[in-house]
């Protein structure tokens, strides 16, 4: 069976038991479910009036986070992170004359926890603060002090047609658009087709669902307005076994760490993992030949994403360290779909590659 790539929807688990917001979302406060994380961000930008129409973002970031600000006409500014994905030059951030400051932790770790005092200072200067918790959604460690808004993309963690959220007490009148039918239908069909492929091994299905996922992403790139979540996704979210998700990811991460931490040719970002951390992936730096390693793994049906391609908006704003991150990082799947034998398969292929 292939490892990685898009999730799927297990047709046998679509049973509605709960209808209340789950605790792993309630902990962020009053939550509104949206179709996507970028839709949640657009919802914020539709309602706030910052003192200056400019934003300060981490230079290591996905273009999908930049896009809502760019489309809303914001001036884009960036701050750097170090090799361990922690913000650097706090004084530069503090003295930046911006209207909105966005921060995030990466891959399940609270790499932004050092910003606690800074965020308090920015808020006192009427800077609007936003935390993107997409990568730390299921981690339990203390986050920085409450930002004005919390957003996240839920669909990055398991198979749902749509799913993002906004948590805040700053917006009282919400104007969500009815679910984007085209986007939802294409995603739903592709998720069910992948379930069929995983269970049947029928490779004729694969090109169909991959094309569908690509078309859905194109729709989302073109239309980032704040849509409502669809009913099927809401049911899956309400009934998710988050404890199982956390347990599997932690177990798989620890196994990868044990067997990859001393492999020559790569560098593991974290030397340990606490019990309150739920990893999104197992990120490594590949010291050379990252694309060759990635291609080799693809040949073995192991699909490791790169987080992220360098956004065009960030080019010209990168220091040496951030360039190294973009050009060297590789995300190893360790999610709840997989068993220890799947992790062992990944390890064997990586070790074999560097022993040649």
């Amino acid at each position: 069976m292939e490892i990685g790539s898009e999730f799927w929807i297990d047709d046998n688990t679509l049973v509605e038991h709960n209808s209340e917001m789950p605790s792993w979302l309630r902990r962020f406060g009053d939550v509104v479910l949206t179709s996507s994380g970028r839709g949640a961000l657009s919802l914020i930008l539709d309602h706030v009036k910052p003192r200056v129409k400019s934003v300060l973002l981490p230079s290591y970031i996905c273009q999908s986070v930049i896009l809502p600000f760019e489309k809303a006409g914001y001036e884009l500014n960036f701050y750097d992170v170090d090799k361990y994905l922690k913000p650097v030059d706090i004084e530069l951030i503090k003295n930046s004359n911006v209207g909105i400051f966005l921060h995030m932790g990466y891959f399940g770790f609270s790499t932004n926890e050092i910003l606690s005092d800074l965020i308090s200072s920015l808020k006192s200067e009427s800077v609007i603060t936003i935390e993107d918790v997409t990568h730390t959604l299921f981690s339990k460690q203390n986050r920085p002090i409450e930002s004005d808004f919390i957003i996240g993309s839920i669909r990055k963690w398991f198979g749902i047609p749509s799913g993002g959220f906004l948590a805040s007490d700053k917006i009282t009148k919400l104007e969500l658009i009815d679910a984007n039918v085209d986007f939802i239908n294409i995603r739903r069909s592709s998720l069910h087709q992948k379930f069929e492929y995983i269970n049947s091994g029928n490779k004729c299905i694969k090109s169909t669902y991959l094309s569908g996922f690509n078309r859905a992403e194109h729709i989302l790139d073109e239309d980032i307005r704040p849509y409502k979540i669809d009913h099927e996704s809401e049911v899956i979210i309400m009934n998710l076994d988050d404890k199982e998700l956390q347990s599997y990811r932690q177990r798989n991460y620890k196994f990868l760490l044990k067997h990859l931490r001393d492999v020559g040719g790569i560098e593991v970002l974290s030397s340990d993992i606490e019990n309150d951390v739920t990893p999104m992936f197992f990120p490594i730096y590949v010291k050379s030949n990252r694309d060759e390693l990635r291609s080799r793994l693809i040949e073995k049906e192991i699909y490791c994403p790169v987080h992220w391609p360098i956004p065009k908006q960030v080019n010209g704003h990168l220091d040496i360290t951030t360039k190294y991150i973009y050009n060297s990082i590789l995300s190893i799947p360790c999610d709840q779909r997989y068993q220890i034998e799947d992790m062992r398969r990944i390890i064997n292929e990586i070790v074999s590659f560097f022993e040649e």
Side-chain angles (χ1 to χ4, degrees), residues 33-301:
L33 293 174
T34 59
S35 181
S36 66
R38 68 193 83 174
L41 193 48
S42 294
L43 184 61
I44 295 172
L45 300 183
D46 285 346
H47 286 81
V48 300
K49 291 189 174 12
R51 61 176 189 176
V52 185
K53 201 169 184 180
S54 62
V55 60
L56 184 60
L57 304 158
S59 58
Y60 177 54
I61 195 169
C62 177
Q63 182 158 311
S64 65
V65 181
I66 300 174
L67 206 55
F69 291 103
E70 187 175 55
K71 290 197 173 186
Y74 276 73
E75 175 189 289
L76 304 174
N77 303 276
F78 300 94
Y79 63 93
D80 294 318
V81 297
D82 64 21
K83 190 172 70 169
Y84 304 102
L85 308 181
K86 296 180 179 180
V88 296
D89 206 341
I90 302 300
E91 281 302 310
L92 184 147
I93 297 173
K94 185 176 181 180
N95 295 323
S96 298
N97 182 30
V98 296
I100 296 179
F101 174 71
L102 184 141
H103 62 104
M104 61 183 292
Y106 295 93
F107 297 107
F109 297 89
S110 57
T111 55
N112 54 343
E113 64 185 354
I114 63 171
L115 295 175
S116 182
D117 291 339
L118 171 66
I119 291 169
S120 179
S121 174
L122 291 175
K123 289 176 70 173
S124 72
E125 297 293 328
S126 300
V127 176
I128 296 168
T129 57
I130 302 173
E131 181 177 8
D132 183 346
V133 298
T134 296
H135 281 214
T136 55
L137 190 53
F138 292 95
S139 293
K140 302 299 185 185
Q141 71 269 46
N142 292 329
R143 295 180 290 105
I145 60 167
E146 292 299 321
S147 295
D148 295 312
F149 302 96
I150 296 173
I151 62 164
S153 177
I154 304 172
R155 66 191 182 95
K156 305 293 172 55
W157 287 87
F158 48 90
I160 46 176
S162 72
F165 80 96
L166 164 64
S168 178
D169 60 359
K170 302 289 183 180
I171 296 178
T172 55
K173 186 179 179 182
L174 296 170
E175 298 173 5
L176 285 167
I177 307 168
D178 286 341
N180 186 329
V181 175
D182 288 343
F183 172 74
I184 298 301
N185 286 344
I186 293 171
R187 284 269 307 167
R188 179 186 294 117
S189 176
S190 299
L191 287 159
H192 287 281
Q193 286 167 350
K194 179 155 189 186
F195 176 75
E196 182 182 349
Y197 165 71
I198 290 297
N199 283 275
S200 70
N202 183 358
K203 292 190 179 293
C204 296
I205 306 171
K206 188 169 185 176
S207 60
T208 304
Y209 73 70
L210 287 177
S211 174
F213 284 131
N214 287 334
R215 282 187 290 129
E217 285 304 308
H218 179 72
I219 290 171
L220 197 56
D221 286 339
E222 293 297 314
D223 186 358
I224 59 172
R225 290 179 293 171
Y227 288 96
K228 294 177 183 177
I229 194 170
D230 66 287
H231 177 69
E232 182 178 353
S233 298
E234 192 168 359
V235 168
I236 295 171
I237 287 169
M238 300 302 180
N239 294 279
L240 175 74
D241 186 342
D242 60 306
K243 299 295 187 296
E244 181 180 74
L245 177 149
Q246 293 162 4
S247 175
Y248 271 64
R249 286 175 176 263
Q250 290 170 347
R251 181 203 64 187
N252 290 340
Y253 188 103
K254 289 175 182 177
F255 190 81
L256 289 170
L257 180 61
K258 178 181 178 181
H259 294 279
L260 289 177
R261 69 198 321 164
D262 297 321
V263 173
I266 68 172
E267 180 182 358
V268 175
L269 265 71
S270 174
S271 59
D272 200 2
I273 181 172
E274 303 294 334
N275 289 332
D276 55 3
V277 171
T278 302
M280 191 174 200
F281 287 92
F282 183 85
I284 62 172
Y285 289 126
V286 184
K287 296 176 183 177
S288 62
N289 303 322
R290 179 191 65 181
D291 294 341
E292 288 182 31
L293 171 60
R294 190 175 182 224
S295 296
R296 175 72 63 83
L297 293 171
I298 289 172
E299 289 175 7
K300 304 298 183 179
E301 294 191 298

Side-chain angles (χ1 to χ4, degrees), residues 299-310:
E299 289 175 7
K300 304 298 183 179
E301 294 191 298
I302 300 169
Y303 299 95
C304 301
V306 169
H307 290 97
W308 294 276
I310 300 177

